[in-house]
Amino acid sequence: RQRRALWELPDTCILFRRYLEAGRMVNIFDWYESFSLALENQRRRVRKDAESEVDDENEEKWRLHVQARFIRALHELDFLGFVKHTGRKADHIVRTVYESAE
């Protein structure tokens, strides 16, 4: 079975795949940046250059949209018990799962 490209996956799956590639502690900012790049790739492939001009207002809306999607996916993983918050580093989470049956 062929593994789907990252940009083809739902948001929580994108975040989970990156989660599995991280170390014991995950830097949330780095995790967000990786998620953001996957969504940008998804956006480009879906648009296929249909919109050649990019204005700042649309880019700001897109950035806020990506942040909201990241927070939602993060909350879903948190709800499922995949992340543990650390008291030492506010910008990190601790992984609770280290293997996946892919």
Side-chain angles (χ1 to χ4, degrees):
R1 193 175 105 168
Q2 187 174 357
R3 190 172 176 173
R4 290 172 61 187
L6 192 62
W7 68 270
E8 296 176 301
L9 299 173
D11 294 350
T12 305
C13 294
I14 291 170
L15 210 55
F16 184 68
R17 190 175 292 173
R18 292 296 188 222
Y19 169 94
L20 291 174
E21 295 168 354
R24 187 176 96 71
M25 293 186 78
V26 181
N27 179 304
I28 295 173
F29 179 76
D30 292 343
W31 205 16
Y32 169 76
E33 288 295 311
S34 175
F35 178 81
S36 178
L37 289 173
L39 290 191
E40 188 59 42
N41 191 11
Q42 183 182 74
R43 180 184 186 199
R44 269 188 261 119
R45 290 181 183 264
V46 169
R47 270 198 316 191
K48 299 259 190 210
D49 294 328
E51 195 179 308
S52 58
E53 274 189 47
V54 176
D55 63 49
D56 290 338
E57 185 178 327
N58 281 343
E59 284 306 302
E60 179 63 19
K61 285 179 184 177
W62 171 251
R63 192 178 63 75
L64 292 173
H65 181 76
V66 169
Q67 287 175 1
R69 288 172 66 177
F70 175 79
I71 293 298
R72 180 174 184 203
L74 176 59
H75 282 301
E76 288 178 4
L77 290 179
D78 187 19
F79 179 75
L80 293 168
F82 286 103
V83 299
K84 182 175 133 188
H85 301 276
T86 174
R88 293 177 301 169
K89 295 183 176 184
D91 59 343
H92 285 70
I93 55 102
V94 177
R95 287 178 50 187
T96 60
V97 173
Y98 294 95
E99 293 182 25
S100 170
E102 280 193 60

